[in-house]
Amino acid sequence: MRYLFRKIGFYLVALWAAVTVNFIIPRLMPGDPVDILLAKLGQRGPVTPETRKSIEALLGAGTDQPLWSQYTEYLHNLVTGNLGVSVTFFPAPVTTIIEQTLPWTIGLIGLATLISFVVGVGLGTLAGWKRGSWLDSLIPVTTMFQSVPYFWLALILLFALGSIWPVFPLNGGYDVYTVTPGWNAAFLRSVIYYGTLPALTIILSSVGGWMLGMRNMMVSTLSEDYLVTAEAKGLRPGRIRLRYAARNAILPSISGFAISLGFVVAGSIVTEAVFSYPGIGSALLQAVSGNDYALMQGIFLVITLSVLGANLLVDLLYSVIDPRTRTRG
């Protein structure tokens, strides 16, 4: 129990530090969100101080207030879920944009990352257990896809399977012309169809790393004395492979999976840019190009929460898989 409280306390401090940095950075960036919104709306010439103050309140800027007062208001807005109004998608609130785009990113990038981890770890376990087999010789091929720049691999697959052989669509998240969004079979089939090629790109570019890492850890673990003892006791090979070898060899992979899972939101930018996928990465690109500080700040906050949350969950899972971590310190 003390281990659990210590971990939660550490992540609460990290969350406060990340929220504070997220508050400070946009205020150090050049430009005024009020002027950006006025230019976007086609306003020419000066506006009255009352109008400017009203727009500042609408955007949640409040630059005329002391910094500590802005910080207090910022924390209050976070608690109440008020992240301001997006300039790029004006007058939509930032929370609405995030609610509309985040499920697309989690569904595509998150699921593809999970599949690549499970497949890579499973194949790496078998390759390490049966060294010299055909599966072991397949690892250089899978790592070759990982060495290719991701956007280049995405463009090659898009050109081959979307243009030369039109198996998959070139862009988008679903068929906007014939399908109505909602929890219906036609929409879900369209989402899976449009998301297959981006997901395939992610899996091909990342499965080799998981496979190679797990294979090397299995080879190292198989030389441990407790495995030799287990074999001498006559335990079944399947039990030795899963209960003794794989359980200990997978620990470094779990730590890496926490990092990759936490950066699902951040890593979606290139994927969604190449395939024009309607996720949070595309929204971040539009926010950066339009100097939409409120939306950038909201998305950065989501990235921070996803990284901290994923690492916390994996830390707790780590303590279950490896009980030795609970007894340290």
Side-chain angles (χ1 to χ4, degrees), residues 31-243:
D32 188 343
V34 177
D35 294 333
I36 295 172
L37 179 58
L38 290 174
K40 185 179 180 64
L41 296 177
Q43 175 67 33
R44 297 182 180 179
V47 296
T48 62
E50 291 78 11
T51 302
R52 175 172 289 273
K53 193 169 183 179
S54 300
I55 297 177
E56 286 182 351
L58 177 66
L59 297 177
T63 55
D64 59 332
Q65 302 176 8
L67 190 61
W68 64 268
S69 180
Q70 296 182 43
Y71 183 65
T72 304
E73 184 177 357
Y74 168 74
L75 294 178
H76 177 266
N77 289 336
L78 285 183
V79 174
T80 58
N82 180 17
L83 301 180
V85 177
S86 171
V87 174
T88 305
F89 302 95
F90 184 83
V94 171
T95 52
T96 301
I97 303 302
I98 294 177
E99 289 173 358
Q100 292 175 351
T101 56
L102 186 59
W104 290 94
T105 297
I106 294 177
L108 172 65
I109 314 296
L111 187 59
T113 302
L114 180 61
I115 292 175
S116 64
F117 173 76
V118 172
V119 172
V121 167
L123 294 178
T125 300
L126 296 177
W129 182 259
K130 299 181 178 180
R131 284 170 290 176
S133 62
W134 67 269
L135 187 60
D136 198 13
S137 62
L138 187 64
I139 292 181
V141 179
T142 59
T143 53
M144 178 193 67
F145 287 108
Q146 188 180 21
S147 62
V148 177
Y150 175 77
F151 69 90
W152 184 246
L153 178 62
L155 290 175
I156 291 176
L157 291 179
L158 194 62
F159 179 70
L161 300 179
S163 181
I164 297 182
W165 300 288
V167 180
F168 299 104
L170 293 174
N171 53 63
Y174 66 97
D175 190 349
V176 297
Y177 300 105
T178 61
V179 175
T180 302
W183 291 104
N184 54 80
F187 176 71
L188 294 178
R189 282 197 302 267
S190 181
V191 168
I192 294 174
Y193 176 55
Y194 274 72
T196 299
L197 189 57
L200 180 63
T201 307
I202 297 171
I203 293 173
L204 286 177
S205 63
S206 57
V207 71
W210 298 119
M211 187 175 177
L212 177 62
M214 187 62 184
R215 184 262 181 196
N216 292 339
M217 286 303 303
M218 280 289 294
V219 171
S220 176
T221 305
L222 289 175
S223 62
E224 296 291 339
D225 293 337
Y226 64 88
L227 286 178
V228 178
T229 303
E231 291 178 355
K233 287 183 176 181
L235 297 179
R236 290 182 292 104
R239 183 178 181 183
I240 296 175
R241 183 178 68 245
L242 296 178
R243 294 287 300 275

Side-chain angles (χ1 to χ4, degrees), residues 3 247-248 251 254 315-328:
Y3 172 84
R247 182 175 180 177
N248 290 279
L251 296 178
I254 290 179
D315 267 351
L316 299 178
L317 180 61
Y318 209 100
S319 66
V320 175
I321 298 177
D322 187 5
R324 294 171 297 178
T325 60
R326 299 196 298 264
T327 61
R328 295 173 183 174

